[in-house]
Amino acid sequence: MIAEFGHFALILAFAVSVFQMTVPMIGAARGWQGWMDSARPAAMVQFLLVAISFIALTISFVTSDFSLKLVYENSHTAKPMLYKITGVWGNHEGSMLLWVLILALFGAAAAVFGDNLPPTLRARVLAVQASIGAAFFAFIIFTSNPFLRLVTPPFDGRDLNPLLQDPGLAFHPPFLYLGYVGLSMAFSFAVAALIEGRVDAAWARWVRPWTLAAWLFLTVGIALGSWWAYYELGWGGFWFWDPVENASFMPWLLSAALLHSAIVVEKREALKSWTILLAIMAFGFSMIGTFIVRSGVITSVHSFANDPARGVFILGILAFFTGGALVLYSLRASSMTAKGVFSPVSREGALVLNNLLLAVSAFVVFVGTIWPLVAEFLWDRKLSVGEPFFNKAFTPFMIALALALPIGAIMPWKRAVIARAIRPLRGAAIFALAVMLLVFAVSTGRSSIAVVGAGLGAWLIGGAVAELLHRTGKSGLSRLLRLPRADWGKAIAHSGLGVTFIGIGLLTAWQQEDIRVAQIGQPFELGGYDFTLRQVEEVEGPNYISTLATIDVGRDGDPVASLHPEKRVYPVQAMPTTEAAIDNGVFRDIYVVIGDAQENGGWAVRTYIKPFANWIWAGAILMALGGLVSLSDRRYRVAAGARRSEVKTKAVPAE
């Protein structure tokens, strides 16, 4: 009965979304206040109904209701409770229900916190948001119903994909979806502004917090996915350039560009057309990610479904919203005239360069991701585009971005003199040079990647500190503490990017690896550490059987750690997984993987020494923290001054 109640709530939410996308839009066009005001309660009711539907599905998973087909195919009575809950979104149907739940959540948030928006713009934003919801409600109800019953309920389920039974993957999808779907708000603001025929500083102030929140969640989601791949898959890497990884990375790059572009619209009333285009494309690439994961066109460990019919439906949604928005954009582009004039050598010019580098980087990732499909479709050739291509094509743009960021951030608006602008960065340059020389001295005979990565990271961190000090002037600590939170957030985020650069550069260049057949009791050495395989035993988990090894690690005769790598087999799905054992440290990780038993009585063991590995995810945490600090700035949360800007700015009449 609970499942039927959830299904009914989902259908009602679909009906409410259809009402919300039509009535407020008509009201905004006709100037009918009551019709426009109906958008806010409709958005909140829609969210409530989707929440009821999601809770009903969660209850079905928690209680192991195997009369539901989805529960039967993705759960098991012996599965730990955490994975019974996360099994709700560890599949195609449940993940789409989570998608529309978050979509409705953002719509409800815009309704609650949109008091400062003009009534017509608010009504149109909520109507566009509801139209996206209506499309995905139809997709779920007609092709991906999570509440289908089985005629004869089985006694137990097929279990969840073992790779998804992990804390990292439990929280990775919700954060990623909060980022993906969060970009729908920027899209809705862009389309609403195009319909109204007005893009101004007030609009940029309103759209920035939503974009910042989406970028923040995407940062956390991508970092969690990378961290999971690092310790769960047993291959020792942090990024594989997998198509689904790329599908989340492209919106991240474009949303970062959108954040910086909106600053120029807000401060200088320039780059209006470009900012609108970025808002459309950022969400468009989010839907491309949804298509890749669920269409089956690309094989990936991340894929949820292999159903061409569903893929065609999502492709239709993508074409309708992205294509429709681009058509509207082409009709309105001439009305979005820039007001601010600036020199190429200025903060505006630096932000334009920032946008070009980020956008081209996203395009490079897109080409590398989609090219195998194009080659197969046009020439019937099987191609693989992997790490070598991305390293050569993508890395130069990131190096240029890192070099330009501190200089652009410290430049004055409108017009700047390079020599005067970079003067406050002398200390940062000296710091970066010193770090490069230190790394060069330590890494003689090794790859130059370490020197470049560490130098760029130090330049970004030193530049962020130099900018804060420059903004305080001679006022000292008191002025530093009174700086707006957005300034602090920017400095923290840029520093986080620097920390990630250092981690990637040093890990790539200094990593050490050893693959061998280890005999029990016989030590071996790697990177100054001694490793001894003590024992291998069979243990039984709640829903798996594990081959558990004990490997002692020492250095100079002193014990360092006792590691326990595993090979698990989940009997229900007959699928093995690798559980790496990692001794985490600030400056290095000791990473051990146990393999199969060998004929001579030994065991295959892979051992890594990974310098500065955790700096990669520490940098991501800092970037997300910087976004959170900026988001807490009251100017962005309530769009302070927006009404004043609205009064001063003459609206472009709608055609």
Side-chain angles (χ1 to χ4, degrees):
M1 186 64 186
I2 291 177
E4 282 69 29
F5 190 61
H7 190 197
F8 182 63
L10 186 64
I11 295 172
L12 284 179
F14 179 33
V16 172
S17 69
V18 172
F19 170 87
Q20 184 184 332
M21 78 176 186
T22 53
V23 173
M25 189 69 79
I26 295 172
R30 299 293 181 85
W32 297 342
Q33 188 65 42
W35 286 42
M36 288 189 287
D37 290 342
S38 69
R40 302 181 77 178
M44 289 182 276
V45 169
Q46 183 191 151
F47 170 66
L48 178 62
L49 289 169
V50 183
I52 290 171
S53 181
F54 189 82
I55 290 170
L57 185 62
T58 303
I59 292 173
S60 298
F61 269 86
V62 169
T63 58
S64 297
D65 181 4
F66 297 119
S67 67
L68 273 188
K69 181 182 178 182
L70 191 67
V71 179
Y72 163 66
E73 292 179 343
N74 295 278
S75 193
H76 191 274
T77 51
K79 191 168 65 173
M81 181 56 69
L82 172 63
Y83 304 130
K84 287 185 178 181
I85 296 172
T86 59
V88 176
W89 55 80
N91 56 83
H92 167 71
E93 292 83 358
S95 67
M96 290 310 303
L97 189 58
L98 176 64
W99 175 284
V100 293
L101 174 68
I102 295 173
L103 190 72
L105 172 64
F106 274 96
V112 172
F113 300 109
D115 288 336
N116 287 319
L117 294 173
T120 55
L121 180 62
R122 181 177 62 228
R124 286 176 170 133
V125 167
L126 293 177
V128 174
Q129 189 77 0
S131 68
I132 300 170
F136 280 100
F137 282 130
F139 174 72
I140 294 173
I141 292 170
F142 297 117
T143 74
S144 309
N145 185 0
F147 297 104
L148 291 177
R149 291 282 192 184
L150 293 172
V151 176
T152 305
F155 290 105
D156 217 329
R158 293 181 177 177
D159 207 359
L160 180 67
N161 184 337
L163 288 175
L164 303 181
Q165 296 187 41
D166 180 87
L169 257 288
F171 301 104
H172 162 66
F175 276 103
L176 206 59
Y177 287 5
L178 283 165
Y180 272 157
V181 183
L183 288 173
S184 66
M185 286 305 305
F187 176 86
S188 296
F189 268 95
V191 173
L194 288 172
I195 293 172
E196 288 207 354
R198 185 191 68 192
V199 179
D200 54 19
W203 176 87
R205 178 64 63 86
W206 289 318
V207 81
R208 278 185 65 195
W210 299 104
T211 307
L212 182 58
W215 178 86
L216 188 162
F217 288 126
L218 264 179
T219 303
V220 175
I222 292 171
L224 282 173
S226 171
W227 179 55
W228 167 80
Y230 172 71
Y231 72 79
E232 173 66 21
L233 298 182
W235 63 297
F238 61 91
W239 194 261
F240 191 64
W241 294 106
D242 178 274
V244 179
E245 290 177 335
N246 297 346
S248 62
F249 191 40
M250 290 183 285
W252 186 86
L253 291 168
L254 291 173
S255 59
L258 175 59
L259 275 174
H260 292 85
S261 179
I263 296 173
V264 182
V265 179
E266 180 186 342
K267 300 291 186 182
R268 301 291 300 155
E269 294 262 0
L271 299 186
K272 295 178 182 180
S273 297
W274 173 247
T275 303
I276 290 287
L277 181 61
L278 279 176
I280 295 170
M281 296 309 298
F283 182 60
F285 272 92
S286 293
M287 288 196 286
I288 287 174
T290 306
F291 170 72
I292 288 175
V293 172
R294 290 166 174 83
S295 64
V297 297
I298 292 178
T299 301
S300 168
V301 69
H302 304 78
S303 297
F304 276 130
N306 187 7
D307 188 340
R310 290 172 176 172
V312 170
F313 200 122
I314 294 176
L315 191 61
I317 296 174
L318 169 64
F320 176 79
F321 283 100
T322 306
L326 289 175
V327 169
L328 184 59
Y329 170 79
S330 66
L331 296 174
R332 293 291 194 193
S334 60
S335 67
M336 292 181 285
T337 55
K339 294 184 178 180
V341 179
F342 56 87
S343 166
V345 182
S346 62
R347 184 175 298 187
E348 296 95 325
L351 288 169
V352 170
L353 176 62
N354 162 288
N355 269 228
L356 288 175
L357 292 171
L358 287 170
V360 174
S361 299
F363 179 72
V364 167
V365 177
F366 176 71
V367 170
T369 303
I370 211 72
W371 188 249
L373 293 178
V374 175
E376 184 174 359
F377 178 76
L378 295 180
W379 303 292
D380 196 26
R381 293 180 59 189
K382 296 283 186 180
L383 295 180
S384 176
V385 178
E387 185 177 356
F389 166 81
F390 290 105
N391 287 345
K392 292 180 180 179
F394 177 80
T395 304
F397 295 104
M398 290 297 99
I399 293 174
L401 181 68
L403 289 171
L405 264 181
I407 299 173
I410 211 166
M411 276 186 174
W413 294 101
K414 196 173 182 179
R415 185 178 293 107
V417 178
I418 284 286
R420 185 181 303 170
I422 64 175
R423 194 173 301 156
L425 294 172
R426 285 178 297 183
I430 293 171
F431 174 62
L433 181 61
V435 170
M436 292 177 70
L437 291 173
L438 175 63
V439 172
F440 176 77
V442 174
S443 60
T444 302
R446 298 184 185 177
S447 170
S448 61
I449 294 175
V451 178
V452 175
L456 290 173
W459 169 244
L460 285 166
I461 296 170
V465 173
E467 184 194 356
L468 286 177
L469 295 177
H470 177 68
R471 292 179 70 84
T472 61
K474 298 180 179 180
S475 303
L477 183 62
S478 60
R479 168 63 178 159
L480 185 65
L481 296 176
R482 292 198 305 271
L483 285 176
R485 292 183 185 179
D487 292 339
W488 278 100
K490 178 176 68 172
I492 294 170
H494 287 184
S495 297
L497 182 61
V499 171
T500 297
F501 264 83
I502 293 172
I504 292 174
L506 297 185
L507 173 62
T508 303
W510 290 357
Q511 174 180 281
Q512 299 180 62
E513 177 183 1
D514 178 85
I515 303 175
R516 68 173 61 229
V517 175
Q519 302 291 333
I520 293 179
Q522 295 183 8
F524 60 93
E525 188 270 339
L526 178 67
Y529 293 91
D530 298 313
F531 299 84
T532 305
L533 177 63
R534 291 300 179 191
Q535 66 175 6
V536 180
E537 57 184 329
E538 298 290 326
V539 298
E540 188 170 337
N543 62 333
Y544 60 84
I545 299 170
S546 172
T547 300
L548 179 68
T550 299
I551 299 178
D552 292 337
V553 184
R555 187 167 194 175
D556 299 329
D558 297 323
V560 173
S562 182
L563 301 179
H564 302 281
E566 296 180 68
K567 280 184 67 71
R568 294 178 180 176
V569 175
Y570 291 75
V572 176
Q573 292 219 347
M575 181 175 176
T577 65
T578 300
E579 306 290 325
I582 306 173
D583 180 51
N584 298 112
V586 175
F587 299 108
R588 61 95 184 108
D589 277 0
I590 300 174
Y591 186 109
V592 180
V593 179
I594 188 72
D596 297 324
Q598 304 298 303
E599 293 181 357
N600 61 357
W603 292 81
V605 175
R606 281 188 291 132
T607 311
Y608 301 88
I609 306 297
K610 294 182 167 292
F612 293 84
N614 288 306
W615 286 46
I616 297 172
W617 300 288
I621 292 171
L622 280 175
M623 283 188 274
L625 179 61
L628 187 62
V629 171
S630 292
L631 199 59
S632 69
D633 192 316
R634 185 177 181 276
R635 296 175 302 168
Y636 300 147
R637 285 187 290 113
V638 300
R643 290 194 181 277
R644 291 193 300 273
S645 300
E646 179 189 353
V647 171
K648 293 178 182 178
T649 305
K650 182 180 179 181
V652 177
E655 296 177 0

